[in-house]
Amino acid sequence: MLKRTEESHITSWYFEIDRRLLFAVLVLTLIGIWAAVTAGSVAAERMNPPQSWHYFLFKMIPFYIAGLGILFAGSMMNKKWVMGIAWLNIVVGLALLAMTFIRPSILNQSARWVSLFGFRVMPADIMKPGFIIITAWFLDRLASLSAGENIFTSRRAWRWDGWPAYLALFIPALFIIFKHPDVGTAALYFILFSAMLFLAGLPWLFVAGLGALASLGGIIAFFTVSHFHKRVLLWLGFEGGADNYQITKSVEAIRNGGLFGSGEDAFIKQSLPDAHTDFIYSAIAEDSGALLAVCLIFGLLFVLKRLADNARGARDRFVLYVAGGVFALFGVQVSINIASALGLIPTKGMTLPFISYGGSSFLSFCLLFGLLIALIREDRWK
């Protein structure tokens, strides 16, 4: 058997990274590009004035180029660079969140956006990679400082540079996201935070406390956020099924696709709101059928399996926390998007990673997966 003799940086990178995870991400991106044409074309035709079939594809091309560049560049970095980028990501994300209070870009009655260089970006999406990596670093640091004690109950963890410093940094950010209002994204961050704490050994009593806190937040949102209140009532059927237009059309589109897809006869998606973003899965199911839609789910599950395998195989506790955090984020966001499309939960404007139209989401996931691949590579080989 011939041995590899070339030792260039690119060659070493290729043979040391998790290639299966990287290739899975690239395949999902190709599906997203195809969906930007098939689902984006009908969304463009409904605009006032109507736009060409390639409108959303052309708008995403700069994000595809930048995102894939970030993915590959990030995967070649070492831990020191990963931490520097994560802190920069947090600083930029928090600054942009502050701008949503000062000079927001309003969309669908929500102030969750800001305009930068002619593009509308969502700070809560942008800062997800930094949130996961800095939280993982913080948990790993506390474990080292606590010298074997539980990081949630030891005195050392509750000194000013422990939990108080961390909570002072991120609780205001979560409050701003909740006030946008963006209940779904706030809940996503809370679930992600709770999952990483559980991975770090959070006692069951504290887990119950987080569950109670989440329930309290849901109750407050139900009575104070009008659109969340309406969506829950519509989903429960208290305001009449005729008004639940989005879920009705989403389920109709999936049914119309049958097993093999409707192809040129896919007409339900033409009246499906947000067919290129929130309900991209329904549009794909109508175009390509239930068989390919299920194959897409298996592709997403494959990514989750690779994330779980990398978490279990991590030698560095920090890498374990990062991989576990990415697993939680990817899994929860995929579940929320597809469950909303199927009418299993109230509708929530959340993208399907790497597939839905949305520059902020695509750049964020590319950065996150690129940095994770770099950490896995260094953990295995360095």
Side-chain angles (χ1 to χ4, degrees):
M1 190 178 209
L2 295 177
K3 293 185 178 180
R4 176 171 60 90
T5 57
E6 184 189 0
E7 295 294 339
S8 70
H9 182 73
I10 296 297
T11 304
S12 297
W13 166 84
Y14 177 78
F15 283 99
E16 292 171 357
I17 63 168
D18 185 345
R19 296 189 299 278
R20 285 179 288 181
L21 178 60
L22 177 61
F23 292 157
V25 168
L26 294 178
V27 169
L28 291 179
T29 301
L30 288 176
I31 295 173
I33 294 173
W34 167 75
V37 175
T38 59
S41 61
V42 296
E45 290 172 1
R46 291 198 304 266
M47 296 179 67
N48 186 20
Q51 301 294 327
S52 302
W53 63 269
H54 51 67
Y55 176 78
F56 287 107
L57 174 64
F58 278 25
K59 288 194 69 174
M60 275 296 293
I61 285 177
F63 292 102
Y64 287 136
I65 295 172
L68 293 176
I70 289 171
L71 174 67
F72 283 99
S75 67
M76 297 180 183
M77 296 180 179
N78 56 34
K79 184 177 178 179
K80 182 179 179 180
W81 273 93
V82 168
M83 290 304 304
I85 290 174
W87 278 112
L88 178 62
N89 179 256
I90 285 294
V91 170
V92 172
L94 291 175
L96 292 177
L97 272 179
M99 284 183 61
T100 62
F101 265 10
I102 301 170
R103 193 177 178 182
S105 179
I106 307 297
L107 182 65
N108 296 330
Q109 299 179 339
S110 176
R112 72 185 75 171
W113 308 87
V114 294
S115 294
L116 289 176
F117 309 111
F119 295 98
R120 184 184 283 121
V121 297
M122 183 177 172
D125 266 348
I126 292 295
M127 65 181 287
K128 287 174 182 175
F131 177 80
I132 290 176
I133 293 173
I134 297 306
T135 299
W137 168 82
F138 174 77
L139 293 173
D140 182 54
R141 175 176 174 271
L142 276 190
S144 300
L145 293 175
S146 299
E149 294 185 66
N150 190 293
I151 64 174
F152 304 99
T153 56
S154 69
R155 289 187 177 182
R156 178 62 186 85
W158 290 97
R159 286 174 53 177
W160 68 270
D161 60 338
W163 283 110
Y166 176 87
L167 296 175
L169 179 64
F170 285 113
I171 284 182
L174 192 63
F175 176 77
I176 292 174
I177 294 171
F178 186 84
K179 289 289 291 181
H180 276 158
D182 191 356
V183 178
T185 302
L188 178 65
Y189 269 94
F190 188 81
I191 293 171
L192 174 58
F193 174 67
S194 302
M196 295 185 71
L197 295 191
F198 182 77
L199 192 62
L202 182 70
W204 282 104
L205 181 62
F206 287 19
V207 172
L210 287 176
L213 186 60
S215 300
L216 177 62
I219 293 171
I220 293 173
F222 180 76
F223 288 105
T224 60
V225 182
S226 59
H227 76 274
F228 180 75
H229 180 91
K230 182 178 180 180
R231 285 179 178 179
V232 172
L233 290 181
L234 285 172
W235 178 68
L236 293 174
F238 290 128
E239 294 196 8
D243 294 329
N244 207 354
Y245 184 79
Q246 288 181 313
I247 292 180
T248 300
K249 287 297 180 181
S250 176
V251 174
E252 283 181 5
I254 295 173
R255 288 174 176 169
N256 189 52
L259 281 178
F260 303 105
S262 299
E264 296 295 332
D265 297 324
F267 64 92
I268 303 294
K269 68 178 182 179
Q270 296 178 2
S271 56
L272 175 62
D274 301 319
H276 59 313
T277 54
D278 303 351
F279 295 98
I280 189 73
Y281 185 76
S282 303
I284 290 174
E286 186 180 18
D287 275 321
S288 304
L291 290 179
L292 285 181
V294 171
C295 288
L296 175 57
I297 290 180
F298 277 110
L300 296 166
L301 289 175
F302 177 79
V303 173
L304 285 173
K305 182 182 182 301
R306 293 307 308 156
L307 294 173
D309 289 344
N310 284 310
R312 283 195 300 264
R315 296 181 296 176
D316 187 343
R317 184 173 51 209
F318 168 69
V319 178
L320 164 65
Y321 292 158
V322 174
V326 178
F327 176 92
L329 173 64
F330 190 85
V332 171
Q333 192 155 329
V334 166
S335 299
I336 290 175
N337 180 277
I338 295 180
S340 297
L342 296 173
L344 300 177
I345 61 174
T347 57
K348 172 64 195 87
M350 196 166 290
T351 60
L352 190 58
F354 298 110
I355 296 176
S356 293
Y357 171 83
S360 299
S361 176
F362 184 75
L363 291 179
S364 174
F365 274 103
C366 283
L367 176 61
L368 179 57
F369 274 75
L371 297 181
L372 173 63
I373 290 172
L375 290 173
I376 293 169
R377 177 195 176 210
E378 185 165 303
D379 182 57
R380 287 180 178 178
W381 298 96
K382 304 302 179 184

